[in-house]
Amino acid sequence: MTPIAFVNRLPPTDEAIWLEALAAAMPELALRRLGDLTETERALVEIAIVANPDPADLGRLPNLKWVHSTWAGVERLVSELGAAAPPIIRLVDPELARTMAEAVLAWTYYLSRDMPAYAHAQRERRWAPRAYRHTQETTVGLLGLGALGAAAAPRLGDAGFKVTGWSRTPKELPGVTFQADLADVLAQADIVVCLTPLTAQTRGLLNAERLAQMKPGAALINFARGPIVVTDDLLAALDAGRLSHAVLDVFDTEPLPASSPLWDHPAVTVLPHISAVTDRRTASLIVADNIRRYLDHGVIPQAVDFGRGY
Ligand code: NAP
């Protein structure tokens, strides 16, 4: 049986846990660590399952037809492998989308119910009730209406929030007012949630000019990738009081260095990249299904478009 290679740069314990989950999802297939394959076996491999792979390791698989990432964000794979790479399939998992939608709703409530202000007041032993803001008075702007943004929209809508959205191509989603112009979303939203992939077009997207287009006193949630937001420009907007708060789950460098001014900024909530963590069990089942469809019918799942970068 042609082996399926698992190529990764994970710590050994994480690699073992992934191998176990993947093997459980595809017991009939010959899943093997790259390092366990002989040269003859490596020459046969058509499919690699990858988690932060070393590009040189993929180069050791001369017959590779496609690569399945265990992650949803593939900007690193795209930049490290380059356009000559075999098709890259990213993880699209409804369970991941559900988790992200839950996080978007949770942290939107965190902001709309003024939890940062109450935490601050408590630290100062101040009894300071604030006016209640109904969800219907709060507009949430979703940047990115893909697998994750589209899952978050109905959760926000069901909670009563007004939802506007922006994506590269126009989208019709129930309950979402689509805006073709980013400036319009930024001007209308009380809370902006970033869920676009990191590409050449979105790197540095939320810079001083864009942040200045946000409604005065608005807040930002970045659950996508750190470099989409220009940190110094964000800090300037928060320091000037033009923006009220930022919830950041992703950063230019992760883990966030201890020296970062974000850690103790009063208007920043730092999260350790936890808004939507891959569920190894459901992810493995999806990877297994995609591999079976290829083995049975020769169908390679929809791949990342290198031109678009996602
Ligand atoms: P997706 O299905 O590919 O959706 C991406 C969305 O962004 C699409 O609506 C796309 O527009 C839009 N977009 C892309 N480039 C754009 C641009 N230049 N201008 C405007 N809109 C643009 O991706 P996804 O599965 O929703 O995931 C989004 C990102 O979330 C991932 O790339 C990853 O970086 C991040 N993520 C973070 C975590 C975490 O724990 N923090 C977990 C998982 C994923 P179209 O609809 O027109 O294509």
Side-chain angles (χ1 to χ4, degrees):
M1 190 188 298
T2 310
I4 315 276
F6 183 41
V7 185
N8 67 86
R9 278 180 287 192
L10 298 173
T13 26
D14 288 1
E15 180 188 56
I17 295 170
W18 263 110
L19 263 177
E20 194 182 332
L22 288 164
M26 50 188 93
E28 80 284 18
L29 302 177
L31 175 70
R32 310 272 293 281
R33 286 174 61 246
L34 179 69
D36 293 341
L37 295 171
T38 64
E39 193 177 341
T40 316
E41 287 170 327
R42 283 204 313 270
L44 295 173
V45 168
E46 294 187 5
I47 307 166
I49 302 171
V50 302
N52 186 20
D54 184 337
D57 280 345
L58 291 174
R60 295 167 66 205
L61 301 169
N63 195 33
L64 194 59
K65 299 281 191 289
W66 56 285
V67 166
H68 204 317
S69 172
T70 52
W71 295 342
V74 287
E75 74 284 346
R76 185 162 174 185
L77 260 183
V78 167
S79 79
E80 286 189 349
L81 298 188
I88 296 173
I89 316 309
R90 70 186 195 97
L91 181 69
V92 182
D93 181 354
E95 177 53 22
L96 186 79
R98 190 201 62 76
T99 317
M100 180 58 91
E102 180 184 89
V104 169
L105 182 61
W107 296 101
T108 297
Y109 271 137
Y110 168 83
L111 293 168
S112 80
R113 292 306 304 261
D114 288 325
M115 293 196 207
Y118 287 122
H120 185 66
Q122 182 179 348
R123 276 194 299 275
E124 294 182 342
R125 298 174 173 263
R126 257 190 313 112
W127 185 270
R130 298 166 69 91
Y132 172 69
R133 234 187 356 255
H134 201 285
T135 54
Q136 286 163 5
E137 295 161 25
T138 301
T139 300
V140 180
L142 289 174
L143 312 187
L145 296 169
L148 305 184
R155 298 292 302 272
L156 293 166
D158 288 349
F161 293 103
K162 287 189 206 149
V163 183
T164 66
W166 174 77
S167 55
R168 198 179 50 82
T169 55
K171 290 271 147 12
E172 266 185 45
L173 293 173
V176 179
T177 307
F178 180 80
Q179 305 276 6
D181 191 344
L182 174 58
D184 290 335
V185 182
L186 297 178
Q188 288 161 19
D190 299 288
I191 299 170
V192 170
V193 182
C194 184
L195 280 173
T196 61
L198 176 61
T199 66
Q201 284 70 41
T202 63
R203 184 177 290 276
L205 177 73
L206 295 179
N207 57 14
E209 187 191 337
R210 288 299 190 185
L211 295 171
Q213 292 170 347
M214 284 173 68
K215 199 169 167 174
L220 174 70
I221 298 177
N222 186 9
F223 283 167
R225 285 293 182 263
I228 297 172
V229 180
V230 180
T231 304
D232 287 346
D233 294 353
L234 174 65
L235 284 169
L238 292 167
D239 288 340
R242 275 190 291 102
L243 297 187
S244 57
H245 201 88
V247 176
L248 306 175
D249 185 45
V250 286
F251 303 91
D252 293 343
T253 306
E254 295 181 13
L256 182 65
S259 58
S260 171
L262 294 169
W263 279 113
D264 46 16
H265 196 289
V268 175
T269 298
V270 171
L271 302 173
H273 203 137
I274 46 72
S275 52
V277 179
T278 304
D279 179 318
R280 292 190 188 88
R281 192 187 65 80
T282 57
S284 297
L285 291 172
I286 284 164
V287 172
D289 277 354
N290 284 337
I291 290 176
R292 283 191 198 105
R293 208 167 305 120
Y294 172 75
L295 296 176
D296 294 347
H297 308 290
V299 179
I300 298 179
Q302 194 187 346
V304 169
D305 178 333
F306 272 84
R308 297 186 322 194
Y310 68 101

